[in-house]
Amino acid sequence: MALKDYQQKRKFNETSEPKGKAKRSKNKLIFVVQRHAATRLHYDFRLEMEGVLKSWAVPKGPSLDPQDKRLAMMVEDHPYDYKDFEGNIPEGNYGAGQVEVWDSGTYEPLEENNKISDEQELLKELHAGSIKFILHGKKLKGEFALVKMKNSEDNAWLLIKHKDEFAESPYNAEENTSSKSLVTKFLEEKKSLKTNRKKKS
């Protein structure tokens, strides 16, 4: 069961994260990027495949700069309904912290294959360790690749932007975050609390 690891890591009586079941988009496959202030701030990059969200944690966030090769650690599959999840994961729970949707949209494989569906093509590339796709997001647009790193842990990949009309250099995901971000507010409050504790000690 694809979501077994996800469900085993969570206490649903404490967290508002969706239990979720395998689900599929009616038309085009979707992607979502969530900004997540956990032990460390990172971005969760998720691609819909097989009714779940294949997921990678990207410490520095995605980039539109083709020169940036962003480390992306593959994590457990998340349920399709996680695409809309925003809010606080309470202390003591897996991934405790604040989560918000940073970008979302649809995506498709870069390579057209008339013999199999888009999803089958993407799954084939996933198993081969090199996925090439086009994102249609609000922030992330154009061609990207996820490439599994050789001679390293199985879950270490690189997220790379291709050179196209949407490429932008330099690029910093943090500079493309809403000024009303609750994750930023959460981080500021956490920092302030830490500073106050140091002053008292």
Side-chain angles (χ1 to χ4, degrees):
M1 185 180 168
L3 296 174
K4 190 179 172 186
D5 288 347
Y6 167 86
Q7 287 161 346
Q8 283 178 346
K9 288 179 178 180
R10 283 156 183 86
K11 296 178 263 187
F12 294 107
N13 59 330
E14 294 180 18
T15 178
S16 59
E17 294 168 279
K19 278 186 186 177
K21 293 176 181 174
K23 252 188 215 182
R24 292 175 188 272
S25 294
K26 286 179 184 174
N27 299 310
K28 295 191 172 183
L29 296 166
I30 61 109
F31 84 92
V32 65
V33 181
Q34 279 151 319
R35 187 165 170 251
H36 186 178
T39 309
R40 289 185 180 87
L41 176 69
H42 65 277
Y43 289 70
D44 293 308
F45 185 83
R46 313 190 195 280
L47 298 174
E48 178 194 352
M49 287 184 219
E50 295 186 300
V52 297
L53 299 175
K54 300 290 179 187
S55 299
W56 290 260
V58 185
K60 291 187 177 179
S63 177
L64 288 175
D65 187 343
Q67 292 179 58
D68 293 334
K69 290 178 172 60
R70 295 292 198 225
L71 177 66
M73 300 300 289
M74 195 170 194
V75 297
E76 73 276 8
D77 294 346
H78 280 53
Y80 178 85
D81 287 341
Y82 211 96
K83 67 185 176 62
D84 302 312
F85 177 70
E86 292 189 301
N88 188 270
I89 301 169
E91 280 295 326
N93 285 271
Y94 179 77
Q98 193 76 22
V99 179
E100 68 190 5
V101 173
W102 182 81
D103 195 23
S104 63
T106 61
Y107 85 108
E108 62 197 311
L110 182 59
E111 302 295 329
E112 276 192 43
N113 190 330
N114 296 326
K115 293 178 182 176
I116 55 176
S117 70
D118 282 359
E119 188 172 23
Q120 286 170 323
E121 174 61 32
L122 290 158
L123 283 165
K124 188 179 85 173
E125 293 179 15
L126 174 73
H127 296 309
S130 177
I131 319 168
K132 293 174 183 173
F133 49 91
I134 301 166
L135 295 181
H136 305 283
K138 299 172 191 78
K139 295 173 184 173
L140 301 179
K141 299 174 192 288
E143 299 176 14
F144 287 81
L146 267 167
V147 183
K148 188 184 272 191
M149 291 173 72
K150 290 175 183 174
N151 307 318
S152 72
E153 301 170 54
D154 283 348
N155 61 345
W157 296 61
L158 293 173
L159 177 62
I160 305 160
K161 176 81 185 87
H162 286 181
K163 287 180 183 176
D164 61 16
E165 68 268 36
F166 300 108
E168 194 180 309
S169 180
Y171 187 88
N172 183 344
E174 283 295 285
E175 289 171 7
N176 289 275
T177 297
S178 167
S179 57
K180 294 173 184 173
S181 162
L182 290 180
V183 167
T184 301
K185 189 183 174 188
F186 175 85
L187 288 167
E188 286 167 355
E189 285 171 359
K190 198 175 173 183
K191 192 179 176 182
S192 174
L193 201 65
K194 205 175 179 180
T195 306
N196 290 337
R197 276 179 189 159
K198 278 186 180 176
K199 283 177 183 175
K200 285 176 184 177
S201 59

mmCIF file of all heavy atoms in Angstrom, residues 165-184:
data_model
loop_
_atom_site.group_PDB
_atom_site.id
_atom_site.type_symbol
_atom_site.label_atom_id
_atom_site.label_comp_id
_atom_site.label_asym_id
_atom_site.label_seq_id
_atom_site.Cartn_x
_atom_site.Cartn_y
_atom_site.Cartn_z
ATOM 1 N N GLU A 165 12.467 29.715 -21.912
ATOM 2 C CA GLU A 165 12.044 31.117 -21.766
ATOM 3 C C GLU A 165 11.632 31.484 -20.342
ATOM 4 O O GLU A 165 11.493 32.660 -20.011
ATOM 5 C CB GLU A 165 10.903 31.452 -22.746
ATOM 6 C CG GLU A 165 9.579 30.767 -22.478
ATOM 7 C CD GLU A 165 9.399 29.449 -23.224
ATOM 8 O OE1 GLU A 165 10.393 28.707 -23.394
ATOM 9 O OE2 GLU A 165 8.250 29.167 -23.630
ATOM 10 N N PHE A 166 11.439 30.478 -19.483
ATOM 11 C CA PHE A 166 11.042 30.747 -18.096
ATOM 12 C C PHE A 166 12.229 30.751 -17.120
ATOM 13 O O PHE A 166 12.054 31.022 -15.938
ATOM 14 C CB PHE A 166 10.000 29.718 -17.627
ATOM 15 C CG PHE A 166 8.750 29.728 -18.458
ATOM 16 C CD1 PHE A 166 8.470 28.689 -19.340
ATOM 17 C CD2 PHE A 166 7.851 30.789 -18.386
ATOM 18 C CE1 PHE A 166 7.318 28.690 -20.118
ATOM 19 C CE2 PHE A 166 6.692 30.808 -19.166
ATOM 20 C CZ PHE A 166 6.427 29.760 -20.025
ATOM 21 N N ALA A 167 13.415 30.448 -17.634
ATOM 22 C CA ALA A 167 14.604 30.423 -16.777
ATOM 23 C C ALA A 167 14.893 31.828 -16.251
ATOM 24 O O ALA A 167 14.662 32.820 -16.942
ATOM 25 C CB ALA A 167 15.797 29.885 -17.555
ATOM 26 N N GLU A 168 15.373 31.890 -15.011
ATOM 27 C CA GLU A 168 15.619 33.181 -14.348
ATOM 28 C C GLU A 168 16.857 33.057 -13.469
ATOM 29 O O GLU A 168 16.934 32.160 -12.622
ATOM 30 C CB GLU A 168 14.394 33.519 -13.493
ATOM 31 C CG GLU A 168 14.327 34.930 -13.000
ATOM 32 C CD GLU A 168 13.064 35.161 -12.167
ATOM 33 O OE1 GLU A 168 11.951 34.818 -12.636
ATOM 34 O OE2 GLU A 168 13.203 35.681 -11.046
ATOM 35 N N SER A 169 17.823 33.923 -13.688
ATOM 36 C CA SER A 169 19.064 33.824 -12.922
ATOM 37 C C SER A 169 19.499 35.193 -12.396
ATOM 38 O O SER A 169 19.530 36.153 -13.153
ATOM 39 C CB SER A 169 20.160 33.251 -13.838
ATOM 40 O OG SER A 169 21.374 33.139 -13.162
ATOM 41 N N PRO A 170 19.797 35.327 -11.091
ATOM 42 C CA PRO A 170 19.674 34.298 -10.051
ATOM 43 C C PRO A 170 18.218 34.160 -9.598
ATOM 44 O O PRO A 170 17.378 34.976 -9.966
ATOM 45 C CB PRO A 170 20.550 34.857 -8.923
ATOM 46 C CG PRO A 170 20.429 36.349 -9.073
ATOM 47 C CD PRO A 170 20.322 36.595 -10.563
ATOM 48 N N TYR A 171 17.949 33.124 -8.793
ATOM 49 C CA TYR A 171 16.584 32.912 -8.298
ATOM 50 C C TYR A 171 16.644 32.410 -6.859
ATOM 51 O O TYR A 171 17.426 31.532 -6.527
ATOM 52 C CB TYR A 171 15.842 31.880 -9.159
ATOM 53 C CG TYR A 171 14.376 31.744 -8.793
ATOM 54 C CD1 TYR A 171 13.406 32.564 -9.365
ATOM 55 C CD2 TYR A 171 13.961 30.802 -7.846
ATOM 56 C CE1 TYR A 171 12.065 32.460 -9.020
ATOM 57 C CE2 TYR A 171 12.615 30.688 -7.497
ATOM 58 C CZ TYR A 171 11.678 31.523 -8.086
ATOM 59 O OH TYR A 171 10.347 31.414 -7.733
ATOM 60 N N ASN A 172 15.786 32.984 -6.023
ATOM 61 C CA ASN A 172 15.708 32.573 -4.622
ATOM 62 C C ASN A 172 14.232 32.388 -4.261
ATOM 63 O O ASN A 172 13.460 33.345 -4.298
ATOM 64 C CB ASN A 172 16.354 33.646 -3.732
ATOM 65 C CG ASN A 172 16.376 33.262 -2.259
ATOM 66 O OD1 ASN A 172 15.671 32.353 -1.825
ATOM 67 N ND2 ASN A 172 17.181 33.953 -1.486
ATOM 68 N N ALA A 173 13.852 31.155 -3.940
ATOM 69 C CA ALA A 173 12.446 30.854 -3.610
ATOM 70 C C ALA A 173 11.941 31.718 -2.453
ATOM 71 O O ALA A 173 10.785 32.145 -2.442
ATOM 72 C CB ALA A 173 12.296 29.374 -3.268
ATOM 73 N N GLU A 174 12.805 31.995 -1.486
ATOM 74 C CA GLU A 174 12.412 32.787 -0.318
ATOM 75 C C GLU A 174 12.003 34.210 -0.706
ATOM 76 O O GLU A 174 11.170 34.819 -0.049
ATOM 77 C CB GLU A 174 13.562 32.835 0.696
ATOM 78 C CG GLU A 174 13.730 31.563 1.500
ATOM 79 C CD GLU A 174 12.533 31.284 2.406
ATOM 80 O OE1 GLU A 174 12.389 31.957 3.434
ATOM 81 O OE2 GLU A 174 11.732 30.391 2.064
ATOM 82 N N GLU A 175 12.613 34.737 -1.768
ATOM 83 C CA GLU A 175 12.272 36.089 -2.226
ATOM 84 C C GLU A 175 10.956 36.102 -3.009
ATOM 85 O O GLU A 175 10.458 37.166 -3.366
ATOM 86 C CB GLU A 175 13.408 36.646 -3.091
ATOM 87 C CG GLU A 175 14.661 36.976 -2.274
ATOM 88 C CD GLU A 175 15.861 37.324 -3.146
ATOM 89 O OE1 GLU A 175 15.686 37.433 -4.383
ATOM 90 O OE2 GLU A 175 16.961 37.470 -2.584
ATOM 91 N N ASN A 176 10.431 34.928 -3.285
ATOM 92 C CA ASN A 176 9.170 34.816 -4.024
ATOM 93 C C ASN A 176 8.078 34.231 -3.131
ATOM 94 O O ASN A 176 7.258 33.422 -3.554
ATOM 95 C CB ASN A 176 9.381 33.959 -5.273
ATOM 96 C CG ASN A 176 10.206 34.691 -6.313
ATOM 97 O OD1 ASN A 176 9.681 35.462 -7.100
ATOM 98 N ND2 ASN A 176 11.516 34.489 -6.283
ATOM 99 N N THR A 177 8.108 34.655 -1.871
ATOM 100 C CA THR A 177 7.148 34.204 -0.863
ATOM 101 C C THR A 177 6.294 35.387 -0.427
ATOM 102 O O THR A 177 6.806 36.508 -0.310
ATOM 103 C CB THR A 177 7.910 33.608 0.343
ATOM 104 O OG1 THR A 177 8.642 32.457 -0.114
ATOM 105 C CG2 THR A 177 6.988 33.182 1.450
ATOM 106 N N SER A 178 5.025 35.164 -0.192
ATOM 107 C CA SER A 178 4.109 36.233 0.204
ATOM 108 C C SER A 178 4.558 36.919 1.496
ATOM 109 O O SER A 178 5.039 36.266 2.426
ATOM 110 C CB SER A 178 2.703 35.655 0.396
ATOM 111 O OG SER A 178 1.859 36.580 1.061
ATOM 112 N N SER A 179 4.370 38.232 1.542
ATOM 113 C CA SER A 179 4.713 38.998 2.746
ATOM 114 C C SER A 179 3.770 38.645 3.903
ATOM 115 O O SER A 179 4.060 38.913 5.063
ATOM 116 C CB SER A 179 4.630 40.505 2.453
ATOM 117 O OG SER A 179 3.330 40.832 1.977
ATOM 118 N N LYS A 180 2.631 38.026 3.572
ATOM 119 C CA LYS A 180 1.655 37.626 4.597
ATOM 120 C C LYS A 180 1.834 36.153 5.004
ATOM 121 O O LYS A 180 0.978 35.574 5.656
ATOM 122 C CB LYS A 180 0.232 37.833 4.072
ATOM 123 C CG LYS A 180 -0.113 39.307 3.828
ATOM 124 C CD LYS A 180 -1.459 39.429 3.145
ATOM 125 C CE LYS A 180 -1.767 40.882 2.801
ATOM 126 N NZ LYS A 180 -3.001 41.002 1.994
ATOM 127 N N SER A 181 2.955 35.566 4.626
ATOM 128 C CA SER A 181 3.216 34.156 4.885
ATOM 129 C C SER A 181 3.137 33.787 6.370
ATOM 130 O O SER A 181 3.807 34.393 7.205
ATOM 131 C CB SER A 181 4.611 33.784 4.357
ATOM 132 O OG SER A 181 5.064 32.588 4.940
ATOM 133 N N LEU A 182 2.325 32.780 6.684
ATOM 134 C CA LEU A 182 2.213 32.305 8.066
ATOM 135 C C LEU A 182 3.437 31.489 8.465
ATOM 136 O O LEU A 182 3.765 31.387 9.646
ATOM 137 C CB LEU A 182 0.935 31.476 8.236
ATOM 138 C CG LEU A 182 -0.389 32.250 8.165
ATOM 139 C CD1 LEU A 182 -1.576 31.317 8.344
ATOM 140 C CD2 LEU A 182 -0.450 33.355 9.223
ATOM 141 N N VAL A 183 4.108 30.908 7.469
ATOM 142 C CA VAL A 183 5.343 30.166 7.760
ATOM 143 C C VAL A 183 6.432 31.144 8.201
ATOM 144 O O VAL A 183 7.149 30.903 9.175
ATOM 145 C CB VAL A 183 5.798 29.329 6.531
ATOM 146 C CG1 VAL A 183 7.221 28.821 6.706
ATOM 147 C CG2 VAL A 183 4.854 28.152 6.313
ATOM 148 N N THR A 184 6.534 32.277 7.500
ATOM 149 C CA THR A 184 7.506 33.302 7.876
ATOM 150 C C THR A 184 7.198 33.824 9.284
ATOM 151 O O THR A 184 8.105 33.984 10.112
ATOM 152 C CB THR A 184 7.499 34.463 6.853
ATOM 153 O OG1 THR A 184 7.809 33.921 5.558
ATOM 154 C CG2 THR A 184 8.516 35.534 7.210
#
